[in-house]
Amino acid sequence: MALDESLPFKPVRIALLTVTDTRTLADDSSGDLLAARITEAGHELAAREISHDDRNEIAAHLHRWIDDEGIDCVITTGGTGLTGRDVTPEALDRVKDKDIPGFGEYFRYISIASIGTSTIQSRACAVLARGTYIFALPGSTGAVKDGWDQILALQLDSRHRPCNFVELMPRLRER
């Protein structure tokens, strides 16, 4: 598993949604960290917003971005825990066409090194919605680092071998 440097890098247009009832863009450390990693990797930060922990509001953001041809992928941070206010996975259920179960499974696997058995409290997940990837990460900076550095940075790099999410993008809307 490596990058094939003979292949061209294809930037992905990524929208970032922080789900929170307590933070703003001014103090969104997880969102800031993820935004920096997205741009440092050479991708385009196509949009960035905050949503309350409300499944209707989250789904409305997602529907708008799914229908925006200038956005290839959405990453959310926050709202993936077990409390009553954690409703990001339920919002993804409202917009999805297909689940990407391996994302959440692998996220929890790599999180074991950072947080041990507490990883079972995470409902990190991913879906495909009308040709747009949506990845839901927990809201902590550690979770954002794990999710980006060990999964998304690789799978959103068109040079990653043996395969990656980018090479599938032209075929995601096939019927």
Side-chain angles (χ1 to χ4, degrees), residues 123-168:
R123 296 187 306 141
C125 58
V127 301
L128 184 62
R130 299 191 304 276
T132 301
Y133 292 115
I134 305 173
F135 304 98
L137 294 171
S140 73
T141 55
V144 165
K145 287 176 188 175
D146 284 347
W148 179 264
D149 296 348
Q150 296 187 53
I151 304 173
L152 294 174
L154 300 169
Q155 280 297 300
L156 294 176
D157 192 318
S158 56
R159 303 165 298 172
H160 185 265
R161 292 293 166 248
C163 56
N164 60 76
F165 286 132
V166 179
E167 64 192 11
L168 299 175

Side-chain angles (χ1 to χ4, degrees), residues 16-25 28 49-62 64-65 76-80 84-92 94:
L16 172 57
L17 182 66
T18 298
V19 177
T20 181
D21 284 333
T22 59
R23 288 177 280 160
T24 67
L25 286 175
D28 178 18
E49 295 179 13
I50 297 269
S51 174
H52 291 102
D53 287 287
D54 176 275
R55 71 187 76 197
N56 292 328
E57 186 177 331
I58 298 165
H61 282 281
L62 297 176
R64 188 167 32 87
W65 286 343
T76 70
T77 176
T80 61
R85 298 292 298 156
D86 292 322
V87 295
T88 301
E90 289 76 17
L92 268 64
R94 291 183 175 192

Side-chain angles (χ1 to χ4, degrees), residues 109-140:
Y109 171 78
I110 62 173
S111 294
I112 289 171
S114 303
I115 61 172
T117 61
S118 296
T119 193
I120 65 173
Q121 295 182 31
S122 169
R123 296 187 306 141
C125 58
V127 301
L128 184 62
R130 299 191 304 276
T132 301
Y133 292 115
I134 305 173
F135 304 98
L137 294 171
S140 73

Side-chain angles (χ1 to χ4, degrees), residues 26-73:
D27 63 356
D28 178 18
S29 57
S30 294
D32 289 343
L33 185 109
L34 191 50
R37 278 176 160 67
I38 288 167
T39 57
E40 288 165 5
H43 299 296
E44 177 187 339
L45 185 61
R48 181 176 177 193
E49 295 179 13
I50 297 269
S51 174
H52 291 102
D53 287 287
D54 176 275
R55 71 187 76 197
N56 292 328
E57 186 177 331
I58 298 165
H61 282 281
L62 297 176
H63 277 300
R64 188 167 32 87
W65 286 343
I66 292 164
D67 292 333
D68 186 333
E69 291 187 18
I71 294 174
D72 303 310
C73 172

